[in-house]
């Protein structure tokens, strides 16, 4: 396989690289897969069975942080990562937190089966996880602060990644409108044609929720 191909499941965290690719101006193709039904075939592409996966001229790259870094590096003119060492490190730190903490809390409240087969324990994981997920969303609001973009002075790959969690927050019934700075930022995101194009291409649940909240 040649070129740049993103494997995406609708409504999943692979929306982040979909937004990044659309903003990058790079030529790419997207393979929309259904993790529930296409898993056996997809395991041949990505043995871990997860999205996102980016295939670059036959090379498989996984993990949002690395994929977003790679896309930003392939399209330097698009300015998807800040240029200074300090801001770049801060953005990488933020995206590592998204992947290691916020995403895992979301898994705890949406896929507790991944943690334990015990139904009672699953219910407890969800109950204990929801307030922690809300705290993480509050922390996202605080980390954005007065800035217009998560990625530094301009839009960047961290913004596309953050939008996944905003969409999941809506989807999971959190009162996202109470997060005023994040909500203003989300509207700013939706005013970008490439972001809108990506979420309409996604055509999954995040698309519906984000556009309904516009
Ligand atoms: N650490 C990975 C997490 C990827 C991940 O868990 N993706 C979810 C979709 S949001 C997935 O593929 N889940 C299917 C599974 O766990 O089998 C990353 O940041 O790329």
């Amino acid at each position: 396989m040649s070129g740049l191909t993103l494997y995406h499941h609708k409504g999943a965290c692979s929306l982040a690289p979909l937004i990044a690719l659309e903003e990058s101006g790079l030529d790419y193709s997207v393979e929309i897969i259904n993790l529930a039904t296409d898993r056996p075939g997809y395991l041949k592409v990505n043995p871990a069975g997860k999205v996102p996966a980016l295939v670059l001229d036959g090379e498989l790259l996984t993990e949002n942080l690395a994929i977003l870094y790679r896309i930003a590096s392939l399209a330097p003119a698009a300015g998807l990562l800040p240029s200074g060492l300090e801001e770049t490190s801060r953005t990488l730190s933020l995206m590592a937190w998204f992947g290691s903490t916020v995403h895992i809390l979301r898994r705890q409240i949406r896929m507790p089966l991944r943690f334990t087969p015990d139904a009672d324990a699953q219910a407890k994981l969800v109950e204990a996880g929801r307030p922690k997920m809300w705290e993480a969303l509050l922390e996202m609001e605080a980390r954005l602060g007065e800035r217009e973009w998560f990625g530094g002075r301009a839009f960047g790959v961290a913004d596309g990644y953050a939008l996944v969690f905003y969409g999941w927050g809506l989807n999971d019934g959190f009162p996202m409108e109470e997060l005023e700075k994040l909500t203003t930022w989300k509207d700013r995101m939706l005013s970008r044609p490439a972001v809108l194009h990506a979420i309409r291409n996604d055509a999954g649940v995040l698309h519906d929720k984000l556009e309904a909240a516009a």
Side-chain angles (χ1 to χ4, degrees):
M1 191 181 304
S2 66
L4 202 55
T5 305
L6 176 72
Y7 288 81
H8 172 61
H9 172 98
K10 291 177 180 180
C13 59
S14 41
L15 178 62
L18 188 57
I19 290 174
L21 283 167
E22 198 55 37
E23 288 274 355
S24 72
L26 294 166
D27 267 343
Y28 73 95
S29 56
V30 56
E31 290 282 335
I32 302 215
I33 55 155
N34 182 334
L35 285 169
T37 53
D38 303 335
R39 190 175 157 82
Y42 182 56
L43 288 176
K44 293 186 191 118
V45 176
N46 178 7
K50 294 190 180 203
V51 292
L54 187 66
V55 176
L56 309 99
D57 293 328
E59 171 209 344
L60 169 69
L61 185 66
T62 59
E63 296 296 324
N64 262 304
L65 179 62
I67 290 173
L68 293 171
Y69 180 78
R70 185 76 167 258
I71 293 169
S73 304
L74 286 172
L80 297 176
L81 271 176
S83 50
L85 179 61
E86 209 174 292
E87 273 201 329
T88 305
S89 312
R90 195 181 51 74
T91 302
L92 292 174
S93 162
L94 175 72
M95 295 199 294
W97 178 68
F98 285 161
S100 66
T101 303
V102 191
H103 195 162
I104 304 306
L105 281 171
R106 210 292 176 135
R107 181 176 301 157
Q108 180 176 333
I109 63 174
R110 289 296 297 230
M111 296 175 98
L113 179 61
R114 287 294 162 93
F115 295 84
T116 171
D118 179 319
D120 289 342
Q122 285 172 25
K124 286 187 183 132
L125 279 172
V126 174
E127 196 186 331
R130 281 191 66 89
K132 286 188 193 301
M133 185 70 212
W134 180 241
E135 270 171 34
L137 292 167
L138 286 169
E139 185 172 340
M140 277 180 67
E141 165 104 339
R143 284 184 183 231
L144 179 65
E146 301 307 320
R147 287 178 301 117
E148 286 196 358
W149 304 107
F150 278 99
R153 279 177 220 126
F155 168 90
V157 285
D159 292 288
Y161 202 172
L163 194 65
V164 169
F165 299 107
Y166 193 99
W168 283 349
L170 289 170
N171 192 50
D172 298 342
F174 288 103
M176 298 304 286
E177 68 290 346
E178 288 178 17
L179 305 175
E180 286 176 16
K181 291 177 181 131
L182 265 189
T183 299
T184 304
W185 159 86
K186 180 267 298 174
D187 291 338
R188 198 175 293 126
M189 287 289 283
L190 294 192
S191 70
R192 297 180 72 84
V195 172
L196 260 189
H197 189 256
I199 65 169
R200 284 182 180 150
N201 262 359
D202 168 60
V205 67
L206 294 189
H207 157 267
D208 300 343
K209 297 281 177 190
L210 286 166
E211 288 217 297

